[in-house]
Amino acid sequence: MTKAESSKSGPYPSTYHALPSRPTLIRNAVVLDGAGKRIDDGAVLMQGGKVVAIGRNLDAPADAVVIDAKGKWVTPGIIDVHSHLGVYPSPGVRAHSDGNEITAPVTAEVWAEHSVWPQDPGFVRALAGGVTALQVLPGSANLIGGRGVTLKNVPSRTVQGMKFPDAPYGLKMACGENPKRVYGGKGRAPSTRMGNFAGYRASWIKAAAYKEKWDDYESKKASGKEAKAPSRDLEMDTLKGVLDGDILVHMHCYRADEMAQVIDMSKEFGYKVTAFHHAVEAYKIGDLLADNETCAAMWADWWGFKMEAYDGIRENIPFVHKAGACAIVHSDSEVGIQRLNQEAAKSLADAKKAGVDIPKEVAWTWLSLNPARSLGIADQTGSLEAGKNADVVLWSGDPFSSYSKAEKVYVDGALVWDMTDPAHQPVMDFELGQPGEGDAK
């Protein structure tokens, strides 16, 4: 097994190329840099696909597009760490249901990118909501559901043309009710939470042995000794990638007690849980998440739709943040992804009601820099800093207001969405000629 097969590039490398762009200066705006700072009467200069400067009274190159954004706000693009766009695309018919390989409790061998349909109209709807990047994951029917893929939210003929260059792969895992219901309903393991954990541990034991064989082979090969490569196993390739630190674990988990036990299990086998997703009870273990540098990707107010989601509170996100942990607002919804700024706004309002004062510029980290950190791409995007990708949104007003819209959206400095210009409102081929084609306003 070559390094590439479990690392960032893999055998299906990104073919993404930034769209053409012009130097652009947005000035006189309220700027939230995504890392916790606010600049009133601020400016952002983009050139060559990068953020060149952020501050006040910036000079623009002679050929730059200059936008007077007085009364408007500028932020980094929103990053959704939990999406099923492309694998559960619109229209939501059975023929398009490609997100859950419900054939075995462990299907680490499957990759979400092999199901992504780039023509999903949901990508454009998300773009109109200010989403510039997203992680598309397999579903949560399985203990280990397979690899996720991080995408740039740009129109493309292929998923490779959307793949975020050099982004690590993610591994989708799930605990709790879903896997035990799906497989217990089939009369097989797991049918209980203890069955879930036994299934995880059995797979990690196999993966550790698989890794040992490959490490021994690579060591002998490096020292010039004769060695025969072990047989490849696609399932084990992915789990070995986690143990090697190349693939990041994103785990669907609701209850605090289960999250705590999963953290213990990760220490047993020497890997790290990058983020718990949904994490309705994360507020109970914010200190534990902070101590283990594990993020919680959460909804603002979804709860009570099943027993493990019963003990949710509206202050979940701000309480996790207050505990010093990495808090993230996510969607898990083709509708919610269009309004993630409003989801963050709801959490911010609930924080204030609970006496937790969080400035708007800090709350925006829930939508950009923290998601970027959890995806291993924070060195490239997630905040407006010189040298980072120019993934930028110009909002018609305060983005924490339900009345504000993403007026212009830039990915790597290229204008990919403009609410006022149909020439920059992509329409997927699937929608052409249909009523309301491309209507995302």
Side-chain angles (χ1 to χ4, degrees):
M1 178 176 60
T2 64
K3 179 75 171 175
E5 273 132 12
S6 69
S7 65
K8 294 179 180 180
S9 57
Y12 302 93
S14 169
T15 58
Y16 169 80
H17 294 285
L19 296 168
S21 63
R22 292 180 59 185
T24 301
L25 175 65
I26 304 174
R27 63 187 182 189
N28 299 326
V30 178
V31 178
L32 307 184
D33 74 350
K37 295 181 181 178
R38 169 175 174 157
I39 306 172
D40 292 312
D41 296 318
V44 177
L45 177 61
M46 300 177 275
Q47 188 171 9
K50 304 292 184 182
V51 174
V52 175
I54 176 174
R56 293 191 180 93
N57 304 317
L58 300 182
D59 294 325
D63 59 342
V65 175
V66 179
I67 299 172
D68 185 352
K70 189 172 182 62
K72 301 176 182 180
W73 293 49
V74 175
T75 69
I78 294 171
I79 301 171
D80 190 2
V81 301
H82 192 118
S83 176
H84 300 296
L85 292 184
V87 298
Y88 284 118
S90 300
V93 297
R94 175 61 187 161
H96 277 172
S97 180
D98 288 317
N100 259 321
E101 182 61 38
I102 312 179
T103 53
V106 175
T107 57
E109 70 273 15
V110 304
W111 298 16
E113 66 195 75
H114 297 145
S115 280
V116 171
W117 184 43
Q119 287 295 316
D120 183 358
F123 288 119
V124 177
R125 274 52 175 186
L127 189 62
V131 175
T132 55
L134 62 157
Q135 178 177 224
V136 177
L137 292 164
S140 54
N142 296 341
L143 299 173
I144 304 176
R147 297 195 197 193
V149 61
T150 300
L151 305 178
K152 297 262 193 179
N153 196 10
V154 295
S156 176
R157 295 175 299 170
T158 66
V159 68
Q160 292 96 324
M162 301 174 73
K163 285 180 72 172
F164 198 114
D166 297 324
Y169 279 107
L171 175 66
K172 174 66 176 292
M173 296 181 65
C175 64
E177 291 182 25
N178 285 19
K180 78 189 190 81
R181 181 189 70 245
V182 169
Y183 291 96
K186 297 175 184 286
R188 58 167 301 182
S191 65
T192 61
R193 282 180 163 83
M194 58 185 174
N196 285 352
F197 270 83
Y200 307 135
R201 297 179 74 208
S203 289
W204 289 123
I205 288 169
K206 291 178 185 177
Y210 185 76
K211 171 177 163 55
E212 185 177 0
K213 289 180 182 178
W214 276 97
D215 287 350
D216 181 62
Y217 164 72
E218 295 290 351
S219 177
K220 289 179 179 177
K221 187 177 176 183
S223 63
K225 295 180 180 178
E226 185 175 344
K228 181 180 179 181
S231 299
R232 287 278 307 280
D233 183 310
L234 288 178
E235 179 184 306
M236 292 297 113
D237 279 357
T238 291
L239 298 184
K240 176 183 180 297
V242 172
L243 298 179
D244 285 337
D246 296 328
I247 296 176
L248 309 179
V249 172
H250 291 266
M251 190 154 190
H252 159 124
C253 212
Y254 288 80
R255 283 181 10 188
D257 59 311
E258 284 187 277
M259 288 185 270
Q261 293 202 73
V262 168
I263 289 173
D264 285 344
M265 179 175 62
S266 72
K267 293 175 181 178
E268 178 186 6
F269 292 100
Y271 69 92
K272 175 180 169 58
V273 179
T274 298
F276 287 113
H277 291 224
H278 313 331
V280 164
E281 293 185 7
Y283 66 94
K284 298 181 180 181
I285 54 166
D287 57 337
L288 184 61
L289 297 174
D291 290 345
N292 286 276
E293 298 182 340
T294 296
C295 295
M298 298 160 281
W299 298 296
D301 53 8
W302 281 15
W303 67 279
F305 47 89
K306 54 182 174 178
M307 286 306 301
E308 63 187 3
Y310 187 77
D311 207 9
I313 61 172
R314 292 178 181 272
E315 299 84 4
N316 194 22
I317 292 170
F319 281 6
V320 168
H321 173 90
K322 186 181 179 183
C326 167
I328 295 170
V329 178
H330 75 341
S331 77
D332 190 28
S333 163
E334 73 279 11
V335 176
I337 196 173
Q338 301 172 34
R339 301 173 182 85
L340 282 170
N341 61 310
Q342 295 180 28
E343 292 298 299
K346 288 190 288 186
S347 289
L348 194 59
D350 290 322
K352 290 181 179 179
K353 291 176 185 176
V356 179
D357 185 20
I358 302 173
K360 292 178 180 178
E361 57 268 28
V362 173
W364 198 265
T365 63
W366 305 341
L367 294 167
S368 60
L369 189 56
N370 285 355
R373 287 170 174 157
S374 78
L375 296 176
I377 55 175
D379 60 331
Q380 301 180 65
T381 189
S383 59
L384 304 179
E385 299 178 61
K388 282 195 173 183
N389 297 346
D391 299 331
V392 178
V393 182
L394 173 62
W395 298 88
S396 61
D398 181 347
F400 290 97
S401 167
S402 59
Y403 295 102
S404 295
K405 294 185 177 182
E407 194 170 284
K408 298 181 189 295
V409 180
Y410 300 84
V411 175
D412 288 322
L415 181 62
V416 291
W417 172 262
D418 188 332
M419 189 176 70
T420 64
D421 183 2
H424 290 94
Q425 297 172 8
V427 179
M428 296 301 188
D429 288 351
F430 180 79
E431 291 188 281
L432 291 175
Q434 298 189 38
E437 65 176 36
D439 185 5
K441 292 183 288 228

